[in-house]
Amino acid sequence: MAQGRPKAAAKRPRRAAAGTGTGPRGRRKGGRAIAPKKLHVIRQQQLRKRLEVGIRARIERDARQRAGAAPPPAPQRPAPTKGKKGRG
């Protein structure tokens, strides 16, 4: 068993807060500057997502039209069951 007081964890030195208000600030107003390279990637992602959503919607719409236009399926009769015959 360890004896004595446990070692206190090393703490980071606090910076002197010169002229800061109390509490955290709220959201900052104004637009944010996005790096051009990242902006290009974001636009590609948005375009890809828009295309995928459009393609999916078109496929679903076509499937709905086909389902509505197709004649109702013929009623299925159950397959005849094989009766037990004498074996042996």
Side-chain angles (χ1 to χ4, degrees):
M1 291 272 278
Q3 295 179 355
R5 296 181 66 196
K7 268 188 172 175
K11 292 184 181 178
R12 289 186 175 176
R14 287 184 152 183
R15 289 193 312 208
T20 56
T22 58
R25 291 193 185 113
R27 289 197 58 183
R28 294 180 181 231
K29 294 183 179 180
R32 303 289 176 271
I34 300 175
K37 196 170 183 181
K38 188 168 185 179
L39 187 64
H40 185 70
V41 171
I42 290 172
R43 286 214 177 114
Q44 282 180 340
Q45 290 171 344
Q46 289 173 344
L47 176 67
R48 188 177 301 124
K49 185 173 183 180
R50 218 172 27 239
L51 288 173
E52 287 175 1
V53 168
I55 291 169
R56 197 178 316 119
R58 175 170 276 174
I59 291 171
E60 289 176 4
R61 189 176 65 221
D62 289 347
R64 257 187 268 121
Q65 285 178 347
R66 285 191 198 125
Q76 296 281 330
R77 292 193 316 188
T81 57
K82 294 182 179 180
K84 288 189 177 181
K85 294 190 178 181
R87 289 187 169 173

